[in-house]
Amino acid sequence: MRQVLIAGNWKMNGSRSSIRELLDGVKAGAGEIKSAELAVCAPFPYLADVQEQLNGTGISWGAQNLSTEEKGAFTGEVSAAMLLDFDCKYVIVGHSERRSLYGEDDALVAKKYAVARKAGLKPIFCVGETLEERESNVTEDVVARQIDALIALEGVAALADGVIAYEPVWAIGTGKTASPEQAQAVHAFIRAKLANADAAVAEKVQILYGGSMNPANAADLLAMADIDGGLIGGASLKADDFLAIGKAAG
Ligand code: PEP
């Protein structure tokens, strides 16, 4: 049985005070969530605050990006070791905003995954198609290409203890959600693709859905056989909504 993971991606939102308030709310309700693990992926400057506020609560935390470099003259970059210094468990790699706005390609995202994993972080590896790609019926090709870049670099075993987030780009921040059937079809495709290479890895890997998941649609999405949780953007900024999604996991 795969553990359900409900991970918040705060993106570039919040302040020290709003994050304190948000985490106070999440902590107050987290005890009612029985089966899901909760995690929040915070902007770098707030990791120390998040660590202090979540330490010992059972709620995990992480970052939204990392450098492929270990240290040195890389102005503006943040290394895996720095994230570990703040006890991060997770780091998002290859979010579609990083891919489209900051030019991160499949090879770089695969490298980030590898660097994070080798350092002892759990990377959340984002994949997904644009609207144009979906309408051209190449969703599976796109997702396969993104995953193949990682398999080519690290081998399929690198995914056994990792997390994939299927995030159709057209559903991120748009209020348009993939239907449970649409999402399940891609999740099943990903798991079958991995099973072709290694059945045990396919069985173990957690595949999250991301794209306008909210308290109203979470239960139906999370009920699908191959959806093992959610990567939540907008709804993770409101404690009640984030908790409601956690509760929808059952
Ligand atoms: C995301 O940014 O990963 C995301 C899923 O955002 P939203 O839930 O706002 O669509």
Side-chain angles (χ1 to χ4, degrees):
M1 196 58 187
R2 291 177 294 268
Q3 162 87 62
V4 174
L5 171 62
I6 303 296
N9 172 15
W10 291 349
K11 311 195 189 194
M12 196 172 72
N13 290 298
S15 62
R16 293 190 83 179
S17 65
S18 75
I19 285 171
R20 177 165 293 281
E21 201 179 313
L22 173 57
L23 289 181
D24 280 348
V26 172
K27 285 191 286 184
E32 289 165 47
I33 293 170
K34 298 292 168 236
S35 64
E37 175 186 359
L38 293 182
V40 296
C41 294
F44 296 135
Y46 301 125
L47 286 174
D49 285 357
V50 170
Q51 177 189 30
E52 187 220 302
Q53 286 161 59
L54 293 185
N55 215 358
T57 62
I59 302 167
S60 306
W61 62 93
Q64 301 167 17
N65 186 25
L66 85 167
S67 172
T68 56
E69 303 294 337
E70 262 177 49
K71 64 175 176 173
F74 302 102
T75 301
E77 292 290 281
V78 171
S79 70
M82 291 172 181
L83 300 184
L84 289 166
D85 237 356
F86 293 95
D87 289 337
C88 285
K89 177 173 178 184
Y90 293 102
V91 61
I92 298 171
V93 298
H95 190 281
S96 66
E97 288 151 17
R98 301 285 329 160
R99 291 177 188 263
S100 68
L101 301 174
Y102 300 99
E104 295 194 7
D105 61 13
D106 293 341
L108 178 64
V109 173
K111 182 98 193 286
K112 287 189 173 196
Y113 184 102
V115 165
R117 178 171 170 271
K118 283 180 186 148
L121 292 158
K122 254 181 176 289
I124 300 177
F125 181 70
C126 298
V127 299
E129 81 289 359
T130 63
L131 184 58
E132 198 187 347
E133 288 164 339
R134 173 158 284 266
E135 287 175 345
S136 311
N137 289 320
V138 293
T139 296
E140 292 185 355
D141 298 343
V142 170
V143 168
R145 189 201 70 219
Q146 292 167 331
I147 293 173
D148 281 338
L150 175 59
I151 295 177
L153 185 69
E154 287 294 285
V156 70
L159 277 162
D161 50 5
V163 182
I164 295 174
Y166 168 58
E167 299 211 305
V169 179
W170 48 272
I172 297 178
T174 58
K176 280 189 213 157
T177 317
S179 69
E181 295 73 23
Q182 275 175 321
Q184 166 59 24
V186 181
H187 283 231
F189 166 76
I190 293 170
R191 209 177 298 283
K193 175 181 169 50
L194 297 178
N196 270 337
D198 188 323
V201 168
E203 194 49 42
K204 248 185 107 186
V205 67
Q206 289 165 292
I207 310 178
L208 315 184
Y209 168 78
S212 300
M213 197 187 262
N214 60 41
N217 59 32
D220 289 344
L221 285 159
L222 294 170
M224 304 310 280
D226 289 295
I227 300 185
D228 307 317
L231 183 56
I232 322 294
S236 72
L237 297 171
K238 291 188 195 136
D240 289 349
D241 286 357
F242 190 54
L243 290 166
I245 294 171
K247 281 183 203 145

